[in-house]
Amino acid sequence: MRHVFLIGSNGIPASYGGFETFVEQLTAHRKDPEIFYHVSCLSEKRGEFEYNHARCFQIKVPKLGPAKVIYYDTASLGECCRYIKHHKLADAVVYMLGCGVGPVFGHYKRKLHRLGAKLMINPDGLEWKRDKWSPLVRRYLKWSEKRMVKHSDLVICDSRKIEEYIKTEYSAYEPNTTFIAYGADLSKSTLTAEASEAQKWFAEKKVMPNEYYLAVGRFVPENNFQTMLTEFMSSTTRRDFVLITDVKQNQFYEILKEKTGFDQDPRIKFVGTVYDQNLLKFIREHAYGYIHGHEVGGTNPSLLEALASTKMNLLLGVGFNREVGGQGALYWEKKAGSLSKLIGDCDSMSEDDRQEFERKAKERITSYYNWDHIARIYEKCFKGELL
């Protein structure tokens, strides 16, 4: 039996977030009976429970503000070492999601190696580039990433562009890397247009099915909301722009309102968050098009979900997005007029052409980003068959 410890996510069952969804899907799609998963879960108490046939161990974390993430990841590493030693587990694997604990990573690598275990990481996207962090935090995250790449037995990248960056940026360490994509679910929502949840949401938000463009994601500058809003407002489309994102107590919202005046355009509709995944999938399926402005990160989960659910996808043309979307999407640049023109082109597109884009997008998901395929690759990786 190969024991694999998945740490760095908030845990399962997943409510929201890329890493949480990844852990939920990976455990749910386990195929190899010789793989047994242990999952760290952020909690207000200590304990254990079983979910998706995985052992979920709760890490109690005090209220430390932003520092609680570092505390949680460090405590999770410590608990892995304790459990592996106590149960005398041979050839265990600890897989860390994220790169925030560089200062202690070398220490835990040595402890795990003495126990016969391997330490792997997923560096996520370029977290240190995110505008939400102060210059000091960015420098820490970059340094922490460097330390963790240096001390990892294997760096698993969910984007070939990220793998290329890791190999080039940290070539002095000759990092051992591999590429395993993130996944998406091609199943359709179980809701129908007559479902009360769907009717209530569309009525409350004053949105008509198939008469809106959609964006889903964290409300942060690097997701290019300013460009998307400005370009949409300059377009001639009669459709709405529905933004599913959390703007409560967010200073960025007020800054954008002042810069763009989006509150004066009745087509712009900030509708809050949607945590019901079945309803969110229904909303994606009934969007006329999806607008994606993420430019920091690897294989973005919200992009995969859009490709799996929405006919037309209008993506910012950075390398990460082109790698995922291929010929199943249209691409825009940040220069003035690019996205607004694309929206016009999309509005005038024939239904046959829209269906062809949908077919190509779903083909991308089926061929490269389905969870069954990805789970099998991870199982081979954890058993050492990719090393």
Side-chain angles (χ1 to χ4, degrees):
M1 181 71 68
R2 179 63 52 89
H3 292 264
V4 178
F5 294 76
L6 305 173
I7 64 176
S9 78
N10 287 334
I12 50 177
S15 57
Y16 209 61
F19 277 151
E20 290 71 42
T21 301
F22 164 75
V23 173
E24 171 129 6
Q25 295 292 344
L26 189 64
T27 53
H29 288 82
R30 181 179 69 92
K31 297 290 187 294
D32 191 332
E34 292 302 309
I35 295 283
F36 185 80
Y37 288 117
H38 306 253
V39 179
S40 65
C41 299
L42 182 67
S43 179
E44 295 180 354
K45 62 182 180 180
R46 292 184 62 84
E48 292 186 8
F49 62 92
E50 183 179 308
Y51 183 79
N52 281 350
H53 302 291
R55 168 184 164 263
C56 301
F57 59 98
Q58 295 168 303
I59 302 292
K60 184 179 180 180
V61 180
K63 295 180 180 179
L64 298 171
K68 76 175 186 179
V69 176
I70 297 175
Y71 179 98
Y72 170 55
D73 288 349
T74 303
S76 298
L77 281 166
E79 175 58 23
C80 290
C81 292
R82 186 203 67 78
Y83 191 92
I84 291 168
K85 182 177 182 180
H86 179 75
H87 292 274
K88 298 181 173 60
L89 301 182
D91 300 322
V93 172
V94 175
Y95 186 31
M96 167 67 76
L97 305 171
C99 280
V101 290
V104 299
F105 206 63
H107 165 72
Y108 282 104
K109 177 189 178 180
R110 290 188 290 273
K111 288 189 72 170
L112 288 165
H113 278 197
R114 285 196 294 269
L115 294 169
K118 287 187 171 63
L119 184 55
M120 304 176 182
I121 66 165
N122 183 316
D124 198 13
L126 306 178
E127 184 68 21
W128 55 272
K129 275 192 171 184
R130 297 192 189 278
D131 290 336
K132 69 175 181 176
W133 301 122
S134 68
L136 182 62
V137 172
R138 286 191 201 180
R139 286 197 295 272
Y140 168 78
L141 290 171
K142 184 71 170 73
W143 176 81
S144 182
E145 177 186 87
K146 177 180 178 180
R147 296 277 301 173
M148 293 179 70
V149 169
K150 177 181 178 180
H151 291 293
S152 294
D153 293 308
L154 180 65
V155 182
I156 302 176
C157 305
D158 60 29
S159 160
R160 295 193 188 280
K161 292 290 183 182
I162 291 291
E163 183 180 24
E164 181 182 309
Y165 157 78
I166 293 292
K167 281 185 170 295
T168 303
E169 184 75 5
Y170 304 113
S171 58
Y173 304 135
E174 298 181 348
N176 186 21
T177 69
T178 193
F179 162 71
I180 307 178
Y182 195 85
D185 179 11
L186 271 172
S187 65
K188 295 182 70 65
S189 170
T190 59
L191 297 180
T192 64
E194 291 73 35
S196 59
E197 304 100 302
Q199 289 188 345
K200 180 182 178 183
W201 188 88
F202 280 96
E204 284 183 352
K205 308 307 179 186
K206 297 181 172 60
V207 175
M208 293 291 292
N210 302 308
E211 289 298 325
Y212 59 94
Y213 287 87
L214 178 68
V216 181
R218 291 186 296 177
F219 197 62
V220 290
E222 64 266 16
N223 289 347
N224 287 291
F225 282 100
Q226 182 172 342
T227 301
M228 291 193 295
L229 288 166
T230 302
E231 288 291 306
F232 192 91
M233 291 169 65
S234 69
S235 76
T236 58
T237 184
R238 295 183 179 181
R239 294 183 167 88
D240 291 328
F241 186 21
V242 174
L243 298 101
I244 295 180
T245 186
D246 188 2
V247 298
K248 292 179 181 177
Q249 300 176 334
N250 192 318
Q251 188 179 5
F252 181 49
Y253 179 85
E254 298 301 326
I255 292 171
L256 278 193
K257 185 160 64 173
E258 183 178 339
K259 285 185 175 181
T260 68
F262 66 75
D263 56 320
Q264 302 302 311
D265 190 328
R267 298 173 300 172
I268 307 295
K269 296 181 177 179
F270 283 88
V271 297
T273 52
V274 178
Y275 291 111
D276 182 331
Q277 295 301 302
N278 198 28
L279 174 59
L280 183 57
K281 184 176 289 189
F282 186 86
I283 295 167
R284 283 194 173 100
E285 290 168 355
H286 289 80
Y288 185 81
Y290 186 85
I291 304 177
H292 185 78
H294 294 52
E295 67 175 329
V296 176
T299 304
N300 185 270
S302 64
L303 171 54
L304 291 177
E305 289 156 3
L307 290 169
S309 303
T310 310
K311 282 185 178 179
M312 292 301 305
N313 289 276
L314 287 59
L315 317 182
L316 178 61
V318 295
F320 302 117
N321 297 335
R322 289 181 183 276
E323 175 187 330
V324 175
Q327 294 184 331
L330 295 171
Y331 299 92
W332 52 274
E333 307 300 327
K334 289 201 284 185
K335 63 183 181 182
S338 177
L339 177 55
S340 60
K341 180 182 183 303
L342 202 60
I343 291 170
D345 293 343
C346 192
D347 271 357
S348 60
M349 191 174 291
S350 71
E351 186 59 25
D352 284 346
D353 286 344
R354 281 166 48 76
Q355 288 179 357
E356 180 62 12
F357 271 103
E358 180 183 27
R359 185 191 67 77
K360 289 179 179 178
K362 286 181 166 55
E363 188 178 82
R364 296 284 299 171
I365 300 299
T366 301
S367 300
Y368 302 105
Y369 300 105
N370 75 82
W371 281 117
D372 269 340
H373 172 64
I374 289 162
R376 286 191 180 94
I377 295 176
Y378 263 104
E379 289 173 0
K380 289 182 179 180
C381 178
F382 293 144
K383 293 179 75 172
E385 295 174 19
L386 299 184
L387 287 173

